[in-house]
Amino acid sequence: MTKGVFNSAAEQAEQLKQDGNLYFKKNRLNAAIDAYTEAITLCPNVAVYYTNRALCHLKRNEWTRVEEDSQRAVRLDHKSVKGHYMLGLALLEREVYAEGIKALERALDLGRGAHPNSYMVEEIWQALASAKYKEWVHDSTERNLALQKLEKSCELALEEQFLYYLNQQMDGTDDATYSSLEQIAVLKKVFSKAAEDDKPTDVPDYLCCKITLDIFRDPVITPSGLTYERAVILDHLEKVGKFDPTTREPLHPSQLVSNLAIKEAVGAYLEKHGWAYKMN
């Protein structure tokens, strides 16, 4: 008897989910939310009901509710790509960058494992790159202000030292002036060097995909030793043909292997040069 009631509730909940999906496609968000809520009432331990409702809240920019439903979803299913993705977006909306980025990175890892060339993986990457870039802008602004303040303090200290030297000794004034100017010039070089990492330049070619010319996200290497962006080469193999676009040699998806060395190099580069996250 209990089993039959359970099955009936599960079936009703699944039908309500289907109804909610239909309402969502027609942009009837209130009706969709009601349907998903009823499904949750019947079966509160199904993660997808929460992610579907969270997506409705996202459409209405109700970020607190997005965060609440996404949190519930990832607690029920720690491998929920949509759950981690929308949780990350909601946290970033509150400017909780560290936790938001962590959630997006989790979503990206899960998405790449399940569907490496899906549209959602691209969406997640775009959101993550945007968050990382904003984080870099915030951090680099603070670093530059701190460097400018420190540089000014050092210059004032050198000027005070020069004035003290002049008051103590009249002879050798020219030498003191030259020495002071030389020290200030060296100081400016030191601080200019310290700020170099925050100045955008060209990303090294070996860190960029030969097809997109963008910095690698998930690089894979072919038997011929060439490295491509995973989603891009998979798309080529599916839509154009089973061959290497550079060498024209036969190539099958199963022959692609993650290029961990390049992936690690890209990670290190982005860690040091956060401006490279900026999307064109």
Side-chain angles (χ1 to χ4, degrees):
M1 182 70 177
T2 303
K3 185 177 180 181
V5 172
F6 178 79
N7 287 339
S8 177
E11 290 170 1
Q12 289 179 54
E14 198 58 25
Q15 182 57 55
L16 285 164
K17 185 194 81 170
Q18 297 302 326
D19 293 342
N21 292 350
L22 184 60
Y23 292 138
F24 182 83
K25 288 179 182 178
K26 294 182 177 180
N27 205 35
R28 295 177 58 188
L29 298 180
N30 285 335
I33 289 172
D34 289 343
Y36 295 137
T37 300
E38 285 188 56
I40 289 169
T41 301
L42 289 168
C43 294
N45 295 322
V46 180
V48 70
Y49 300 160
Y50 292 99
T51 54
N52 283 11
R53 190 170 67 175
L55 187 56
C56 294
H57 293 314
L58 188 150
K59 284 274 189 178
R60 304 202 311 190
N61 291 319
E62 297 172 344
W63 291 104
T64 299
R65 291 180 176 179
V66 173
E67 185 175 345
E68 290 171 353
D69 276 348
S70 299
Q71 288 278 19
R72 292 189 184 104
V74 298
R75 280 199 295 267
L76 290 169
D77 179 8
H78 65 279
K79 291 185 178 181
S80 172
V81 177
K82 289 183 179 179
H84 287 288
Y85 175 40
M86 287 188 286
L87 176 59
L89 293 179
L91 290 169
L92 292 176
E93 193 67 22
R94 289 203 290 115
E95 297 185 355
V96 184
Y97 289 110
E99 291 301 312
I101 286 171
K102 184 178 178 181
L104 289 178
E105 287 175 335
R106 177 63 175 157
L108 188 62
D109 287 341
L110 291 168
R112 282 174 173 168
H115 305 287
N117 59 336
S118 71
Y119 78 92
M120 178 161 280
V121 168
E122 177 63 20
E123 274 189 19
I124 296 169
W125 167 260
Q126 295 277 352
L128 178 60
S130 176
K132 286 277 195 177
Y133 180 73
K134 287 178 181 177
E135 183 183 45
W136 169 78
V137 169
H138 175 269
D139 292 347
S140 66
T141 299
E142 288 195 341
R143 279 195 299 271
N144 285 332
L145 288 174
L147 280 174
Q148 289 172 16
K149 186 176 180 180
L150 181 59
E151 183 179 4
K152 187 65 177 177
S153 297
C154 290
E155 285 183 6
L156 288 173
L158 286 174
E159 289 174 5
E160 288 177 3
Q161 183 185 51
F162 172 64
L163 291 173
Y164 174 79
Y165 184 85
L166 290 181
N167 290 331
Q168 294 295 316
Q169 172 181 338
M170 294 304 295
D171 295 332
T173 301
D174 291 341
D175 290 341
T177 302
Y178 176 77
S179 176
S180 179
L181 291 174
E182 187 177 50
Q183 286 178 319
I184 290 175
V186 170
L187 183 70
K188 288 187 177 295
K189 285 183 179 179
V190 169
F191 279 96
S192 176
K193 183 67 176 176
E196 275 185 5
D197 288 343
D198 283 332
K199 293 179 180 178
T201 57
D202 291 331
V203 177
D205 289 341
Y206 75 96
L207 297 180
C208 297
C209 176
K210 295 180 181 295
I211 299 175
T212 66
L213 303 182
D214 291 330
I215 192 166
F216 281 118
R217 310 169 188 179
D218 187 17
V220 291
I221 190 167
T222 67
S224 60
L226 295 175
T227 300
Y228 298 102
E229 181 62 37
R230 185 189 298 274
V232 175
I233 190 64
L234 285 175
D235 188 62
H236 166 85
L237 296 177
E238 179 183 344
K239 296 179 180 178
V240 182
K242 300 290 192 296
F243 61 89
D244 188 309
T246 302
T247 66
R248 316 297 289 185
E249 295 177 1
L251 180 63
H252 191 273
S254 62
Q255 294 177 287
L256 301 174
V257 178
S258 291
N259 192 330
L260 299 180
I262 290 295
K263 190 172 185 177
E264 186 176 337
V266 167
Y269 187 84
L270 288 172
E271 186 70 26
K272 190 176 182 181
H273 307 281
W275 49 262
Y277 275 109
K278 186 174 185 180
M279 307 301 294
N280 295 326

